[in-house]
Amino acid sequence: MADTAYLDWPFFEPHHRELARALEAWAREHVPQAHGHDVDAACRVLVRSLGQGGWLRHAVAGTAHGGAGEAIDTRAICLIRETLARHSGLADFAFAMQGLGSGAISLGGSPEQRAAWLPRVARGEAIAAFALSEPEAGSDVAAMACAARQEGGDYVLDGEKTWISNGGIADFYVVFARTGEAPAARGISAFIVEAGTPGFEIAERIDVIAPHPLARLRFTGCRVPSAHRIGPAGEGFKLAMRTLDVFRTSVAAAALGFARRALDEALQRATTRRLFGQHLADFQLTQAKLAQMAATVDSAALLTYRAAWQRDQGRSVTREAAMAKMCATEGAQSVIDAAVQIFGGLGVVSEMPVERLYREIRALRIYEGATEVQQLIIARELLKDVKERGQP
Ligand SMILES: Cc1cc2nc3c(=O)[nH]c(=O)nc-3n(C[C@H](O)[C@H](O)[C@H](O)COP(=O)(O)OP(=O)(O)OC[C@H]3O[C@@H](n4cnc5c(N)ncnc54)[C@H](O)[C@@H]3O)c2cc1C
């Protein structure tokens, strides 16, 4: 039984506590532990099932378009991601990508775009993807080369995107491309590109250590109507950053879910495995590991829900979200590693829960801003404070 004492923390309102408890009960019944080898099929089933369960309503904004509220409730998406990640990395992925992929539409879409896509995303009937990264523009997003030129009433896209989650199974992609209104980040716009649009192809499927649908996309003279541009021309970079701002804290929450599962597994194993005439948990060296793991989990949870709460108060969370993402993902890696150690040989057997977690956590330290990028953000915010307020 997972420890849910943290739900009593003052960051939450009663409806958050109810949501977490209801999802836990639902996940036990509906989220499989193993998904087989066809991740495309597994993801489609998970999206549909999360939609039918009503959970995807939290991933989109606007009650008129199927959303649970007018704005995305950061604490709700964090609790959902944490709970799903504790059960299954793929279920967390399926939920998160519906939100990230449709985030730009929730935040900046026209009424027509919102009406066309958000209800289907919320019901799990349309799969979403967020296409920002390129082979030569990952951490340095503003270096993007994929271009969209205006021609008549259309835009024509040329270029590539890579590392695109849900690439190959998505029904639509929010694609960021250079439209050239101004140099660097100020000359980028966002577009909705539907799967099957002529000139758009999946150039390559990418296999990763924790399998999920991932692809490199290619656009060759791909024509999309101007009505598919999201928000004003040249404002796409801001929209991408605003979308990431909503979801960055939720990456910390997913890492937290992985870490909690690893701690639960480690506690169960350490208290039942006998060696040298006693239980593994009776050794002080094991207790030191468990203590460090529990403290790391709690500190990650405090940072994550502080950032989520602060964002829900309408306050800036640039520094807090970066701290949460950095500490929760790095911390989860160390907690999971300790759990693998406690399991001994069993810890590295394929598809054991801790082995799966060991693979699943790794990418979270890289995507949506690698740890080094979060460090730079935190330091920049600290130094800005010194400049504004004077020396401490
Ligand atoms: C599993 C997975 C799923 C993803 N899904 C998506 C998606 O759906 N949509 C999307 O658009 N992108 C997605 N990405 C891309 C992801 O956001 C990029 O991988 C990430 O931004 C890093 O870019 P890069 O891989 O090009 O690494 P690079 O930019 O080449 O960076 C390499 C490393 O350099 C270090 N580094 C970076 N900046 C600095 C710095 N300033 N100083 C010092 N060191 C630094 C970091 O350790 C970083 O890991 C995904 C990636 C993965 C692995």
Side-chain angles (χ1 to χ4, degrees):
M1 182 68 193
D3 177 9
T4 53
Y6 71 101
L7 289 174
D8 293 332
W9 288 354
F11 295 122
F12 303 112
E13 291 166 32
H15 68 91
H16 293 122
R17 299 183 179 106
E18 276 162 35
L19 174 77
R21 292 192 174 111
L23 177 58
E24 173 62 26
W26 183 87
R28 279 166 192 264
E29 202 177 322
H30 293 91
V31 175
Q33 294 285 308
H35 298 287
H37 292 292
D38 187 346
V39 284
D40 289 7
C43 262
R44 287 193 182 101
V45 168
L46 281 167
V47 170
R48 186 49 82 105
S49 158
L50 286 164
Q52 284 167 350
W55 309 109
L56 293 177
R57 294 184 305 113
H58 297 274
V60 305
T63 49
H65 301 115
E70 293 315 322
I72 289 176
D73 180 329
T74 321
R75 286 167 291 177
I77 59 168
C78 285
L79 284 167
I80 292 173
R81 290 201 64 181
E82 182 193 329
T83 307
L84 291 175
R86 199 153 33 71
H87 285 270
S88 147
L90 206 57
D92 163 59
F93 168 82
F95 173 83
M97 284 315 303
Q98 289 298 91
L100 186 67
S102 65
I105 302 175
S106 275
L107 291 169
S110 66
E112 294 75 23
Q113 290 167 347
R114 291 159 64 86
W117 291 107
L118 297 182
R120 294 175 60 200
V121 169
R123 290 196 297 266
E125 292 168 4
I127 295 182
F130 175 83
L132 181 67
S133 305
E134 296 183 7
E136 301 303 324
S139 305
D140 184 7
V141 171
M144 89 173 43
C146 182
R149 64 173 196 284
Q150 244 176 326
E151 216 177 82
D154 298 331
Y155 279 92
V156 180
L157 273 67
D158 284 287
E160 283 199 351
K161 293 284 165 188
T162 193
W163 309 120
I164 307 310
S165 296
N166 277 344
I169 67 162
D171 294 289
F172 72 99
Y173 298 73
V174 169
V175 179
F176 297 85
R178 189 163 290 291
T179 38
E181 291 74 17
R186 282 172 295 130
I188 290 166
S189 302
F191 300 92
I192 300 166
V193 181
E194 291 181 47
T197 304
F200 166 44
E201 61 180 321
I202 303 298
E204 177 193 12
R205 292 294 299 261
I206 305 169
D207 288 330
V208 281
I209 54 175
H212 69 263
L214 193 69
R216 180 161 58 87
L217 320 180
R218 185 180 296 132
F219 302 92
T220 316
C222 174
R223 195 171 277 276
V224 295
S226 293
H228 286 201
R229 192 188 67 222
I230 311 173
E235 300 281 318
F237 187 79
K238 269 194 222 157
L239 202 50
M241 295 304 117
R242 281 175 62 208
T243 308
L244 290 172
D245 213 39
V246 177
F247 289 96
R248 184 164 291 141
T249 307
S250 79
V251 179
L256 178 59
F258 291 150
R260 276 200 209 281
R261 175 67 183 266
L263 177 56
D264 289 348
E265 295 285 336
L267 282 167
Q268 203 274 337
R269 180 72 183 162
T271 50
T272 50
R273 169 68 168 165
R274 287 190 73 80
L275 67 175
F276 302 109
Q278 55 183 358
H279 284 125
L280 187 53
D282 294 328
F283 292 97
Q284 285 190 338
L285 283 173
T286 310
Q287 291 169 15
K289 275 199 191 73
L290 294 170
Q292 186 61 49
M293 291 161 83
T296 304
V297 165
D298 267 14
S299 52
L302 284 162
L303 284 174
T304 301
Y305 290 111
R306 173 187 66 166
W309 166 81
Q310 190 163 318
R311 190 171 187 286
D312 288 339
Q313 311 309 303
R315 290 159 57 188
S316 160
V317 289
T318 308
R319 175 178 13 187
E320 290 76 10
M323 283 183 176
K325 190 197 178 250
M326 176 180 80
C327 293
T329 57
E330 294 289 331
Q333 183 87 65
S334 70
V335 168
I336 293 165
D337 188 61
V340 169
Q341 196 70 12
I342 284 172
F343 269 76
L346 272 184
V348 292
V349 171
S350 293
E351 292 306 326
M352 284 294 287
V354 291
E355 183 273 345
R356 205 169 22 82
L357 292 165
Y358 192 77
R359 289 181 288 105
E360 276 170 338
I361 187 56
R362 192 60 185 87
L364 277 66
R365 292 166 58 204
I366 296 169
Y367 63 58
E368 293 191 40
T371 293
E372 290 80 357
V373 172
Q374 308 307 329
Q375 287 171 323
L376 291 173
I377 293 172
I378 298 164
R380 189 189 64 208
E381 293 292 309
L382 281 174
L383 297 172
K384 203 164 76 185
D385 270 5
V386 172
K387 220 170 169 183
E388 282 166 10
R389 290 203 213 129
Q391 292 294 331

